[in-house]
Amino acid sequence: ILNVEQSPQSLHVQEGDSTNFTCSFPSSNFYALHWYRWETAKSPEALFVMTLNGDEKKKGQISATLNTKEGYSYLYIKGSQPEDSATYLCAFYNQGGKLIFGQGTELSVKP
Amino acid sequence: NAGVTQTPKFRILKIGQSMTLQCTQDMNHNYMYWYRQDPGMGLKLIYYSVGAGITDKGEVPNGYNVSRSTTEDFPLRLELAAPSQTSVYFCAGGRANEKLFFGSGTQLSVL
């Protein structure tokens, strides 16, 4: 059984706050780690796909790091805006092609 | 390119009825996936396929069947609908080590 855990489950911040979430995944049979942004009533959209230990990716004010040896990834949002409110999903990808999602972190940014 | 197209968008079934959720993509994706959205649980993998003629079970395959006779199409079949299958279903496609592209979702109610 592949276990992908995300924390916290939900987060409420004020506009301008910086925040981060954690994704834990199995450290064996690692192939890739995905991050997705999922707005209510829409489909998930990819943020990052990370494959190498130590990888760091950045897209605007959002960045992510990857530690495959200990099995975790962090997603950071610098200076959160109300439009960043969404559920952020990570997904673990093994060599067999199976992509398993965590339960998500629901972010709410108040003006 | 239309991307990943799911039909229908909404459907109401009676207990015991059967139906097929259609998914087609024109992006030449090898890998295709079916997920269901469970409240507070993120996305659960039902079935996936790494190429035409190849399918495999995900986390929650019971009550569902799939086929992949062509690269483009990956239909999901519900044989005997049960209330526990009430959910939003997402089809997605991609390639190894690349991001997934999601369909717009199918909202299914079984009454």
Side-chain angles (χ1 to χ4, degrees), chain A:
Chain A
I1 296 176
L2 297 175
N3 224 16
V4 182
E5 299 286 340
Q6 290 188 247
S7 62
Q9 194 169 346
S10 65
L11 201 51
H12 299 267
V13 301
Q14 292 294 130
E15 182 175 355
D17 287 350
S18 293
T19 186
N20 64 85
F21 327 130
T22 304
C23 174
S24 301
F25 53 86
S27 53
S28 58
N29 293 324
F30 176 86
Y31 208 60
L33 194 283
H34 293 217
W35 280 101
Y36 290 83
R37 182 173 181 275
W38 192 8
E39 290 182 72
T40 304
K42 293 188 177 180
S43 302
E45 290 186 353
L47 288 170
F48 308 113
V49 176
M50 307 170 79
T51 56
L52 298 175
N53 185 43
D55 246 356
E56 290 188 24
K57 299 270 187 180
K58 188 171 181 190
K59 185 177 183 178
Q61 299 300 100
I62 304 177
S63 60
T65 61
L66 179 67
N67 184 324
T68 60
K69 293 184 178 178
E70 296 181 42
Y72 65 84
S73 176
Y74 295 136
L75 188 79
Y76 300 92
I77 303 180
K78 185 179 175 184
S80 305
Q81 300 297 309
E83 52 267 31
D84 292 324
S85 297
T87 296
Y88 291 83
L89 297 167
C90 70
F92 171 81
Y93 186 72
N94 71 6
Q95 285 188 309
K98 186 180 281 190
L99 188 65
I100 301 295
F101 281 83
Q103 74 274 38
T105 293
E106 190 177 350
L107 174 67
S108 174
V109 183
K110 291 191 175 178

Side-chain angles (χ1 to χ4, degrees), chain B:
Chain B
N1 286 356
V4 179
T5 304
Q6 278 182 248
T7 56
K9 290 193 184 304
F10 305 94
R11 185 72 186 268
I12 299 174
L13 283 181
K14 293 183 179 177
I15 294 171
Q17 284 186 318
S18 61
M19 78 162 293
T20 299
L21 280 66
Q22 301 291 346
C23 177
T24 188
Q25 53 92 7
D26 60 0
M27 303 175 78
N28 205 27
H29 292 152
N30 290 340
Y31 292 19
M32 294 188 77
Y33 302 83
W34 274 106
Y35 291 94
R36 54 177 286 170
Q37 175 189 358
D38 293 327
M41 302 290 287
L43 294 170
K44 290 295 186 185
L45 180 63
I46 306 171
Y47 270 94
Y48 67 105
S49 168
V50 299
I54 305 169
T55 62
D56 213 341
K57 294 178 180 179
E59 302 169 276
V60 290
N62 290 348
Y64 305 95
N65 273 304
V66 293
S67 60
R68 186 97 184 270
S69 55
T70 66
T71 300
E72 293 77 20
D73 300 306
F74 191 42
L76 177 72
R77 178 91 178 151
L78 282 72
E79 289 296 347
L80 289 170
S84 60
Q85 293 177 305
T86 294
S87 190
V88 181
Y89 291 83
F90 287 96
C91 178
R95 298 186 189 87
N97 274 356
E98 296 183 11
K99 64 184 179 181
L100 289 191
F101 293 85
F102 282 81
S104 55
T106 296
Q107 192 167 321
L108 176 67
S109 296
V110 182
L111 306 173

